[in-house]
Amino acid sequence: MRLFLALAILVLFPTISFAHTGVGDTAGFFHGFEHPIGGIDHVLAMVAGGVFAFVLGGRALWLVPLSFVTMMVAGFALGVTQVDLPYVELGIALSSVVIGAAAALGRAMPVAAAMTLVGLFAVFHGHAHGAEMPTDASGLTYAAGFAVATALLHLSGIASTAAIARLIGKYGKYAAQFAGGVFAIGGIGVLAGWL
Protein backbone atom coordinates (compact mmCIF):
# COMPACT_ATOMS: atom_id res chain seq x y z
CA MET A 1 0.00 0.00 0.00
CA ARG A 2 2.83 2.42 0.85
CA LEU A 3 4.55 1.64 -2.43
CA PHE A 4 1.30 2.30 -4.33
CA LEU A 5 0.87 5.64 -2.52
CA ALA A 6 4.47 6.66 -3.24
CA LEU A 7 4.09 5.80 -6.92
CA ALA A 8 0.78 7.66 -7.11
CA ILE A 9 2.41 10.78 -5.63
CA LEU A 10 5.27 10.59 -8.13
CA VAL A 11 2.85 10.20 -11.03
CA LEU A 12 0.51 12.97 -9.89
CA PHE A 13 3.31 15.35 -8.91
CA PRO A 14 6.19 14.51 -11.28
CA THR A 15 8.48 17.37 -10.26
CA ILE A 16 8.83 15.76 -6.82
CA SER A 17 10.87 13.01 -8.46
CA PHE A 18 13.49 15.48 -9.76
CA ALA A 19 16.32 16.74 -7.58
CA HIS A 20 16.07 20.33 -8.84
CA THR A 21 12.40 21.05 -9.28
CA GLY A 22 11.26 23.86 -11.52
CA VAL A 23 14.65 24.40 -13.18
CA GLY A 24 15.83 23.99 -16.78
CA ASP A 25 14.73 20.85 -18.63
CA THR A 26 12.63 19.71 -15.68
CA ALA A 27 10.33 22.71 -15.94
CA GLY A 28 10.73 23.40 -19.66
CA PHE A 29 8.34 20.77 -20.95
CA PHE A 30 5.72 21.43 -18.27
CA HIS A 31 5.86 25.21 -18.69
CA GLY A 32 5.52 24.76 -22.44
CA PHE A 33 2.69 22.27 -22.06
CA GLU A 34 0.67 24.47 -19.74
CA HIS A 35 0.99 27.66 -21.79
CA PRO A 36 -1.50 26.77 -24.57
CA ILE A 37 -3.99 25.26 -22.15
CA GLY A 38 -3.66 28.16 -19.72
CA GLY A 39 -5.34 30.78 -21.87
CA ILE A 40 -8.85 30.72 -23.29
CA ASP A 41 -7.67 32.51 -26.44
CA HIS A 42 -5.18 29.73 -27.20
CA VAL A 43 -7.62 26.94 -26.36
CA LEU A 44 -10.39 28.39 -28.54
CA ALA A 45 -8.10 28.77 -31.56
CA MET A 46 -6.50 25.34 -31.30
CA VAL A 47 -9.71 23.41 -30.73
CA ALA A 48 -11.30 25.45 -33.55
CA GLY A 49 -8.41 24.29 -35.73
CA GLY A 50 -9.41 20.70 -35.00
CA VAL A 51 -13.06 21.43 -35.80
CA PHE A 52 -11.97 23.10 -39.06
CA ALA A 53 -9.84 20.07 -39.97
CA PHE A 54 -12.81 17.79 -39.32
CA VAL A 55 -15.16 19.90 -41.45
CA LEU A 56 -12.70 19.79 -44.35
CA GLY A 57 -12.00 16.08 -43.88
CA GLY A 58 -9.63 13.93 -45.91
CA ARG A 59 -5.96 14.89 -45.79
CA ALA A 60 -6.87 18.10 -43.95
CA LEU A 61 -7.51 16.02 -40.83
CA TRP A 62 -3.78 15.74 -40.24
CA LEU A 63 -2.29 18.43 -42.54
CA VAL A 64 -4.16 21.37 -40.99
CA PRO A 65 -3.05 20.57 -37.41
CA LEU A 66 0.47 19.77 -38.65
CA SER A 67 0.64 23.15 -40.38
CA PHE A 68 -0.51 24.90 -37.21
CA VAL A 69 2.09 23.20 -35.02
CA THR A 70 4.90 23.71 -37.56
CA MET A 71 4.19 27.40 -38.04
CA MET A 72 3.75 27.85 -34.31
CA VAL A 73 7.30 26.56 -33.83
CA ALA A 74 8.47 29.08 -36.47
CA GLY A 75 6.68 31.86 -34.58
CA PHE A 76 8.27 30.59 -31.36
CA ALA A 77 11.71 31.05 -32.93
CA LEU A 78 10.79 34.64 -33.77
CA GLY A 79 9.63 35.29 -30.21
CA VAL A 80 12.70 33.73 -28.59
CA THR A 81 15.04 35.76 -30.80
CA GLN A 82 12.99 38.88 -29.98
CA VAL A 83 11.99 39.60 -33.57
CA ASP A 84 9.21 42.13 -33.32
CA LEU A 85 5.87 40.91 -34.64
CA PRO A 86 3.13 43.55 -34.56
CA TYR A 87 -0.37 42.87 -33.25
CA VAL A 88 0.43 39.51 -31.65
CA GLU A 89 -2.45 39.61 -29.18
CA LEU A 90 -4.87 40.76 -31.86
CA GLY A 91 -3.69 37.95 -34.16
CA ILE A 92 -4.22 35.42 -31.39
CA ALA A 93 -7.71 36.73 -30.61
CA LEU A 94 -8.70 36.85 -34.28
CA SER A 95 -7.45 33.31 -34.89
CA SER A 96 -10.45 31.60 -33.31
CA VAL A 97 -12.83 34.05 -35.00
CA VAL A 98 -11.43 33.40 -38.48
CA ILE A 99 -10.72 29.66 -38.10
CA GLY A 100 -14.08 29.07 -36.41
CA ALA A 101 -15.88 31.08 -39.10
CA ALA A 102 -14.13 29.09 -41.84
CA ALA A 103 -15.36 25.90 -40.18
CA ALA A 104 -18.87 27.36 -39.78
CA LEU A 105 -19.06 28.21 -43.47
CA GLY A 106 -18.29 24.58 -44.31
CA ARG A 107 -17.13 25.46 -47.80
CA ALA A 108 -14.72 23.25 -49.70
CA MET A 109 -11.25 24.73 -49.56
CA PRO A 110 -7.97 23.49 -51.00
CA VAL A 111 -5.92 21.86 -48.27
CA ALA A 112 -2.99 24.18 -49.03
CA ALA A 113 -5.22 27.23 -48.48
CA ALA A 114 -6.49 25.81 -45.17
CA MET A 115 -2.92 25.08 -44.08
CA THR A 116 -1.90 28.65 -44.96
CA LEU A 117 -4.86 30.09 -43.07
CA VAL A 118 -4.16 28.26 -39.83
CA GLY A 119 -0.39 28.63 -40.26
CA LEU A 120 -0.65 32.40 -40.45
CA PHE A 121 -2.43 32.58 -37.11
CA ALA A 122 -0.18 29.93 -35.58
CA VAL A 123 2.80 32.26 -36.02
CA PHE A 124 1.17 34.68 -33.56
CA HIS A 125 0.55 31.92 -31.02
CA GLY A 126 4.13 30.68 -31.35
CA HIS A 127 5.56 34.18 -31.00
CA ALA A 128 3.67 34.61 -27.74
CA HIS A 129 5.02 31.27 -26.48
CA GLY A 130 8.58 32.30 -27.35
CA ALA A 131 8.34 35.79 -25.89
CA GLU A 132 6.84 34.43 -22.64
CA MET A 133 9.18 31.45 -22.21
CA PRO A 134 10.62 31.34 -18.67
CA THR A 135 14.31 32.31 -18.66
CA ASP A 136 15.34 29.11 -16.88
CA ALA A 137 13.52 26.80 -19.31
CA SER A 138 15.23 24.86 -22.07
CA GLY A 139 13.92 26.12 -25.40
CA LEU A 140 13.81 22.63 -26.90
CA THR A 141 11.83 21.02 -24.08
CA TYR A 142 9.61 24.09 -23.75
CA ALA A 143 8.80 23.94 -27.48
CA ALA A 144 8.14 20.21 -27.23
CA GLY A 145 5.71 20.89 -24.38
CA PHE A 146 3.61 23.45 -26.21
CA ALA A 147 3.74 21.43 -29.44
CA VAL A 148 2.34 18.36 -27.66
CA ALA A 149 -0.35 20.41 -25.88
CA THR A 150 -1.34 22.08 -29.15
CA ALA A 151 -1.55 18.76 -30.98
CA LEU A 152 -3.73 17.39 -28.19
CA LEU A 153 -6.03 20.42 -28.38
CA HIS A 154 -6.38 19.92 -32.14
CA LEU A 155 -7.02 16.23 -31.59
CA SER A 156 -9.69 17.05 -29.00
CA GLY A 157 -11.42 19.32 -31.54
CA ILE A 158 -11.32 16.59 -34.18
CA ALA A 159 -12.38 13.79 -31.83
CA SER A 160 -15.20 15.64 -30.08
CA THR A 161 -16.61 16.95 -33.36
CA ALA A 162 -16.38 13.47 -34.92
CA ALA A 163 -18.16 11.95 -31.92
CA ILE A 164 -20.96 14.52 -32.04
CA ALA A 165 -21.30 14.18 -35.81
CA ARG A 166 -21.47 10.40 -35.55
CA LEU A 167 -24.08 10.65 -32.79
CA ILE A 168 -26.25 13.06 -34.77
CA GLY A 169 -25.92 11.12 -38.02
CA LYS A 170 -26.86 12.75 -41.30
CA TYR A 171 -26.89 16.21 -39.71
CA GLY A 172 -23.40 15.75 -38.30
CA LYS A 173 -21.78 18.14 -40.76
CA TYR A 174 -24.16 20.89 -39.66
CA ALA A 175 -23.30 20.21 -36.03
CA ALA A 176 -19.61 20.56 -36.89
CA GLN A 177 -20.29 23.83 -38.66
CA PHE A 178 -22.30 25.01 -35.67
CA ALA A 179 -19.32 24.18 -33.43
CA GLY A 180 -17.13 26.31 -35.68
CA GLY A 181 -19.56 29.18 -35.21
CA VAL A 182 -19.42 28.75 -31.44
CA PHE A 183 -15.63 29.05 -31.52
CA ALA A 184 -15.86 32.14 -33.71
CA ILE A 185 -18.26 33.73 -31.22
CA GLY A 186 -15.88 32.74 -28.42
CA GLY A 187 -13.11 34.59 -30.24
CA ILE A 188 -15.34 37.65 -30.48
CA GLY A 189 -15.86 37.30 -26.72
CA VAL A 190 -12.08 37.37 -26.22
CA LEU A 191 -11.77 40.45 -28.43
CA ALA A 192 -14.62 42.20 -26.61
CA GLY A 193 -13.29 41.26 -23.17
CA TRP A 194 -16.24 39.01 -22.23
CA LEU A 195 -13.98 35.98 -21.85
Side-chain angles (χ1 to χ4, degrees):
M1 182 64 180
R2 287 185 201 175
L3 177 61
F4 176 76
L5 181 60
L7 288 173
I9 289 171
L10 288 177
V11 169
L12 295 174
F13 303 99
T15 56
I16 292 173
S17 64
F18 295 104
H20 303 285
T21 61
V23 178
D25 290 343
T26 305
F29 182 86
F30 296 107
H31 277 112
F33 189 87
E34 72 184 2
H35 193 258
I37 60 176
I40 187 72
D41 49 356
H42 293 295
V43 172
L44 285 171
M46 293 167 194
V47 177
V51 172
F52 183 43
F54 176 83
V55 168
L56 293 174
R59 294 181 319 136
L61 275 174
W62 64 275
L63 286 174
V64 167
L66 179 64
S67 176
F68 195 104
V69 173
T70 302
M71 293 308 294
M72 191 172 63
V73 170
F76 169 74
L78 295 175
V80 167
T81 56
Q82 298 178 354
V83 172
D84 188 35
L85 184 63
Y87 307 112
V88 170
E89 291 303 318
L90 180 61
I92 290 169
L94 282 174
S95 61
S96 58
V97 174
V98 174
I99 295 169
L105 290 174
R107 302 276 189 252
M109 175 184 284
V111 175
M115 292 170 65
T116 302
L117 176 71
V118 298
L120 171 71
F121 288 109
V123 170
F124 292 111
H125 287 270
H127 190 280
H129 293 325
E132 297 169 13
M133 182 177 77
T135 56
D136 64 344
S138 161
L140 186 59
T141 56
Y142 182 80
F146 73 69
V148 168
T150 298
L152 290 173
L153 286 168
H154 284 302
L155 184 60
S156 72
I158 292 168
S160 59
T161 307
I164 291 169
R166 192 172 305 117
L167 183 67
I168 292 175
K170 68 179 183 176
Y171 299 108
K173 182 179 181 195
Y174 299 114
Q177 289 177 252
F178 178 78
V182 169
F183 284 101
I185 291 169
I188 292 170
V190 170
L191 281 168
W194 308 330
L195 297 176

